[in-house]
Amino acid sequence: MDPVSLAGLAIGVASIGLQVYSGCIQGIQLVITALNFPDDARYLNLRLRMEQQRLFAWSEASGLLDLDAKRRDKVLESNTFVLHRQTVLDLLVQVECLFKEFKEHQEKRKCLRAVPDQDQVLENPEKDAAEANFPLPKRRRDFIKKAMRSLKESSHEASQRLQWVAFDKAAFELLLSRFSTLNDNMTGILDQRMQVEIHHTVQDTNRGVLQLHHKISDLSRLVMALNIRLEASSALPTAQLTVAKKQANADGLELISQLAKFKAFNESIESAHKRPLDEATANQLELGKPGEKRLLLDRSMIELDPAADESDQPRCEAVLVKDGVKKKVWVEWKEYDPQRPGDSSPPKAVIVERVAKLAALLNHTPKPEDFRTPHCLGYFDRGSSNGQEDEDEDILNMRLGLVFERPVDSGLDQSSPPVSLHELLETTRKPPVTKRVKLAHAISKCLLYLHAVNWLHKGLRSHNIIFFKTTSGDVDFGKPYLSGFDFSRPARADEMTDIPGPGDDIEYNLYRHPNAQSTNPDERERFKKSFDIYSLGVLLVEIAHWATVDKVLGINLNVARGRPSFALKVRDSLLATDQIAELGACMGELYEGATQKCIAGGEQLGLSEKDDETNDAVAARLSMVLHEKVVKKLGEIQV
Ligand SMILES: *[C@@H]1O[C@H](CO)[C@@H](O)[C@H](O)[C@H]1NC(C)=O
Ligand SMILES: *[C@@H]1O[C@H](CO)[C@@H](O)[C@H](O)[C@H]1NC(C)=O
């Protein structure tokens, strides 16, 4: 066929496809919004929403949805609508019939009935999505609106809302599993590039869903909804099962499920004093029993190397003696302030509480792999011996130590201490671009997932990215560990606000956003995600040049010490045209763009002046942008 008629064919097929697709969305939406959904089966409804979003992701990647906006280029570019025209239409018709038949069958059995749509939910999908804590991007919302309006125009009867009289769980599960298989098939016919795009979009949606789920009961429902696909029913024939597993993997469902469990765990420590959880939920979320673990270790269990102990390094090697067994560990220090007589709220108690919480988070399993946080075994008070507080105010004693296990990996050298990225930048030769890109990608991914559960790092800098050497003395740049988590510290007893951590000198401020630097608490903004993203940007600069930021900018630390203005100027210097262009020159445009966005922040991250980053909708958007403009871009770099 000549190109002109090929194009005509593609558009023709896609136009028919779009009509059928509209019918699919109508049918699905009617089932999703059905009233009287039993509470204990709401996870099935959540799953159906996720499958509907998967279908949306397909229509976006294939270009079908663009056709609705009179844009034809995507349809013309992909050969889906010519090469696979039969299959595409066949599958879409199958989806449409699946929901039509389900509705008819359930109505005949008097399980479902039509009722007037009093709240106008059908035409306002955003209301219903908000109630279900489900994100609905504008484009998809508008499409649903339009489809439901046209359904209303076509017939009054067809556009009534459904209501469950008796919920048929088995039939609903079958509907879900068939729909899921058809979705897998639809993805399967697209070419590799579009499949990857679909998986990225689905991951975005699912992170958004996670963002909107807060309560333990909601998170538990989310985990159940994810499990439906993760534990793809063994009833499936092998070939189909393999496909389903592969797709679920590519959608990153396991990770979202782990993140949901982690979020629930954090929620459970926050609300430990409130009503206890029922056992089924706790088991399902793998929360463990409250108070089951004692993380406060006795000082006598830790043997510190005297030389390392006297130094002011933030971490040191040590030996943990437990039940007579010695284990090599490493310790990370958190200082607290001296207490003065008359202090109403003792800083130490507050710090201890926060360290305890941090230890619990870092100790929890299962831990999402992409967090790349080391496993914490507990914490101890440097200043206490045998439960007695030492009277002397030795500054070395005023520290709490978080005890970490070395990663269990046979390829690692068990004797060499962890080495920080900062040390590597100063002492090793610049690794090849591929390795540096891999490192940048790994760190950005960590931050994306930490932020997905609202975990702010607050101390991102190359001192806190650590590696364990392999037996051959190398470092695997794809496996950095993120340490040095910081938390809000009470400044002085009379002003309970955050102050930057100890060792708060110029060196650390170089990595902090200018608005996070002031030592005056009144002037400093509350720490927020975009400050972490800024610090990530500084790390990306260091990794590109393979030099610490002071060297990159030619700042003499000895001159700059005690002069806050030096650190305040870092952001502007990094954003200077020449600096940015330099990044492009050594790492390419994708890297340059990603770094520039992190450092510039604001509009570049899709944030406006008045946006509150703790707001769910804003947080979901920020996460999407961080993924789209930074993590994904760094992952796409081909060298
Ligand atoms: C969908 O894929 C399954 C295997 O995963 C296959 O058995 C089935 O025939 C496919 N359906 C269509 C309509 O292609
Ligand atoms: C834990 O929960 C609290 C309260 O909901 C939230 O502010 C915090 O960001 C969460 N932290 C983590 C690490 O998830």
Side-chain angles (χ1 to χ4, degrees):
M1 251 187 284
D2 67 87
V4 178
S5 44
L6 263 185
L9 179 62
I11 297 299
V13 172
S15 308
I16 304 172
L18 187 61
Q19 282 177 34
V20 184
Y21 178 76
S22 240
C24 296
I25 294 298
Q26 291 162 351
I28 300 167
Q29 196 64 17
L30 284 174
V31 177
I32 281 183
T33 53
L35 290 157
N36 286 1
F37 214 95
D39 217 35
D40 62 355
R42 270 169 62 199
Y43 70 99
L44 295 173
N45 185 282
L46 187 56
R47 179 72 250 162
L48 181 56
R49 287 174 198 272
M50 291 175 150
E51 289 296 338
Q52 186 192 37
Q53 298 300 314
R54 241 181 4 123
L55 188 60
F56 266 116
W58 183 90
S59 67
E60 286 164 358
S62 66
L64 195 63
L65 215 58
D66 281 324
L67 202 63
D68 192 45
K70 305 276 182 297
R71 282 195 307 265
R72 307 165 145 209
D73 36 327
K74 255 193 167 172
V75 164
L76 292 177
E77 264 169 40
S78 99
N79 53 20
T80 315
F81 295 96
V82 175
L83 209 59
H84 303 293
R85 56 183 182 274
Q86 230 97 48
T87 332
V88 171
L89 292 181
D90 178 50
L91 286 167
L92 282 171
V93 169
Q94 284 198 50
V95 175
E96 191 184 17
C97 287
L98 183 64
F99 283 88
K100 218 185 213 148
E101 282 168 13
F102 177 79
K103 174 172 176 267
E104 283 168 8
H105 183 67
Q106 296 295 329
E107 280 177 332
K108 211 156 73 203
R109 294 182 55 225
K110 306 255 182 292
C111 287
L112 268 179
R113 69 162 181 218
V115 294
D117 181 15
Q118 274 164 343
D119 305 328
Q120 271 141 12
V121 163
L122 292 178
E123 277 172 87
N124 296 291
E126 67 276 8
K127 270 199 215 166
D128 157 74
E131 260 168 53
N133 298 324
F134 206 93
L136 194 58
K138 180 170 182 306
R139 195 167 171 214
R140 299 181 186 178
R141 181 193 68 203
D142 290 348
F143 189 89
I144 298 178
K145 273 190 180 192
K146 199 170 139 195
M148 298 318 277
R149 221 176 292 135
S150 83
L151 183 67
K152 194 173 173 184
E153 280 156 15
S154 73
S155 110
H156 167 69
E157 215 170 299
S159 66
Q160 286 201 305
R161 197 165 173 192
L162 296 178
Q163 182 184 52
W164 284 103
V165 182
F167 181 66
D168 185 345
K169 186 164 178 234
F172 200 95
E173 284 174 336
L174 192 62
L175 172 80
L176 274 176
S177 117
R178 292 202 170 134
F179 184 22
S180 184
T181 305
L182 289 169
N183 261 335
D184 289 346
N185 292 15
M186 310 251 318
T187 306
I189 52 172
L190 299 185
D191 71 33
Q192 197 55 33
R193 184 184 55 80
M194 288 190 271
Q195 291 197 24
V196 170
E197 197 178 319
I198 291 183
H199 296 312
H200 277 301
T201 323
V202 170
Q203 286 173 24
D204 264 340
T205 307
N206 291 347
R207 269 200 318 279
V209 177
L210 176 66
Q211 194 82 52
L212 298 182
H213 284 63
H214 295 287
K215 285 193 284 196
I216 294 180
S217 54
D218 291 349
L219 289 162
S220 151
R221 187 175 304 132
L222 174 57
V223 169
M224 284 167 84
L226 292 165
N227 279 348
I228 298 177
R229 259 186 87 208
L230 282 171
E231 296 164 359
S233 94
S234 42
L236 288 178
T238 329
Q240 211 168 320
L241 187 68
T242 324
V243 175
K245 284 245 159 84
K246 209 176 113 211
Q247 299 281 5
N249 254 341
D251 285 347
L253 297 190
E254 184 65 47
L255 177 60
I256 296 289
S257 166
Q258 284 175 350
L259 290 170
K261 287 174 185 173
F262 190 87
K263 197 168 171 180
F265 173 71
N266 176 51
E267 210 50 48
S268 79
I269 19 184
E270 293 283 331
S271 62
H273 50 284
K274 290 186 212 138
R275 139 184 99 83
L277 285 170
D278 69 276
E279 204 168 321
T281 309
N283 279 342
Q284 200 223 350
L285 292 169
E286 301 179 65
L287 295 179
K289 298 216 169 31
E292 175 189 54
K293 283 195 179 131
R294 243 183 79 81
L295 291 175
L296 176 59
L297 305 172
D298 199 88
R299 170 71 185 87
S300 62
M301 292 163 75
I302 317 289
E303 290 174 1
L304 294 165
D305 170 5
D309 184 35
E310 297 299 316
S311 83
D312 60 353
Q313 291 302 308
R315 64 184 71 87
C316 76
E317 297 271 282
V319 172
L320 174 71
V321 191
K322 200 172 183 179
D323 307 324
V325 182
K326 291 192 170 194
K327 182 172 186 165
K328 217 165 156 163
V329 294
W330 51 283
V331 171
E332 200 168 282
W333 298 112
K334 298 282 177 201
E335 284 91 350
Y336 50 86
D337 283 340
Q339 282 165 263
R340 288 161 303 178
D343 282 354
S344 52
S345 185
K348 182 176 171 184
V350 181
I351 298 286
V352 171
E353 191 193 312
R354 292 185 186 168
V355 166
K357 210 183 129 193
L358 184 58
L361 291 175
L362 289 167
N363 170 266
H364 185 63
T365 49
K367 182 185 66 155
E369 165 85 13
D370 283 309
F371 273 7
R372 303 229 47 92
T373 54
H375 184 66
C376 179
L377 298 168
Y379 66 100
F380 67 98
D381 187 346
R382 174 77 177 71
S384 86
S385 39
N386 310 320
Q388 296 286 303
E389 300 270 331
D390 269 356
E391 284 307 313
D392 68 285
E393 293 226 329
D394 180 354
I395 201 80
L396 274 179
N397 272 338
M398 305 187 62
R399 295 190 289 178
L400 298 167
L402 285 158
V403 179
F404 292 99
E405 184 175 63
R406 303 173 62 94
V408 195
D409 184 339
S410 57
L412 295 178
D413 176 8
Q414 288 307 316
S415 62
S416 64
V419 49
S420 75
L421 174 61
H422 199 261
E423 287 170 72
L424 291 174
L425 293 175
E426 289 187 320
T427 59
T428 63
R429 193 196 285 254
K430 194 191 254 186
V433 178
T434 40
K435 292 192 176 170
R436 280 179 287 142
V437 168
K438 205 162 139 189
L439 174 58
H441 186 229
I443 300 174
S444 67
K445 231 165 47 174
C446 285
L447 194 62
L448 178 72
Y449 294 121
L450 288 173
H451 283 184
V453 298
N454 297 328
W455 195 352
L456 307 189
H457 187 286
K458 302 186 180 175
L460 267 187
R461 50 179 173 264
S462 43
H463 313 68
N464 286 333
I465 309 286
I466 57 175
F467 300 90
F468 291 87
K469 291 200 169 142
T470 62
T471 39
S472 55
D474 295 327
V475 155
D476 183 347
F477 288 107
K479 291 188 175 163
Y481 285 86
L482 209 51
S483 103
F485 282 83
D486 219 327
F487 40 78
S488 310
R489 289 158 192 277
R492 271 155 237 118
D494 47 317
E495 44 177 56
M496 295 292 290
T497 19
D498 321 2
I499 57 157
D504 187 45
D505 51 21
I506 170 86
E507 206 175 338
Y508 293 177
N509 267 342
L510 295 178
Y511 298 84
R512 290 197 183 106
H513 190 279
N515 295 356
Q517 284 178 22
S518 170
T519 41
N520 178 351
D522 294 333
E523 289 170 11
R524 202 179 38 243
E525 273 187 69
R526 230 188 133 73
F527 203 92
K528 49 188 185 183
K529 289 179 180 169
S530 54
F531 290 171
D532 266 346
I533 298 176
Y534 171 83
S535 306
L536 170 67
V538 180
L539 282 172
L540 294 180
V541 170
E542 293 193 327
I543 294 169
H545 292 275
W546 206 251
T548 54
V549 60
D550 51 308
K551 299 281 181 347
V552 174
L553 296 179
I555 297 174
N556 182 336
L557 289 178
N558 289 325
V559 175
R561 229 172 282 283
R563 296 197 210 162
S565 63
F566 274 83
L568 284 170
K569 280 192 289 219
V570 167
R571 181 167 174 275
D572 287 342
S573 309
L574 290 176
L575 285 174
T577 319
D578 286 353
Q579 272 298 336
I580 295 291
E582 189 63 35
L583 285 174
C586 40
M587 305 296 281
E589 281 177 328
L590 289 174
Y591 195 100
E592 174 189 322
T595 311
Q596 195 266 347
K597 293 211 155 51
C598 291
I599 300 175
E603 275 170 30
Q604 298 274 330
L605 293 176
L607 295 167
S608 74
E609 197 77 47
K610 58 181 184 346
D611 275 339
D612 170 7
E613 289 182 28
T614 56
N615 171 288
D616 277 340
V618 176
R621 180 153 37 96
L622 181 59
S623 158
M624 200 110 91
V625 176
L626 179 61
H627 180 232
E628 193 71 27
K629 307 281 187 206
V630 181
V631 181
K632 207 169 120 189
K633 290 284 185 287
L634 292 173
E636 279 168 6
I637 297 177
Q638 309 267 347
V639 188

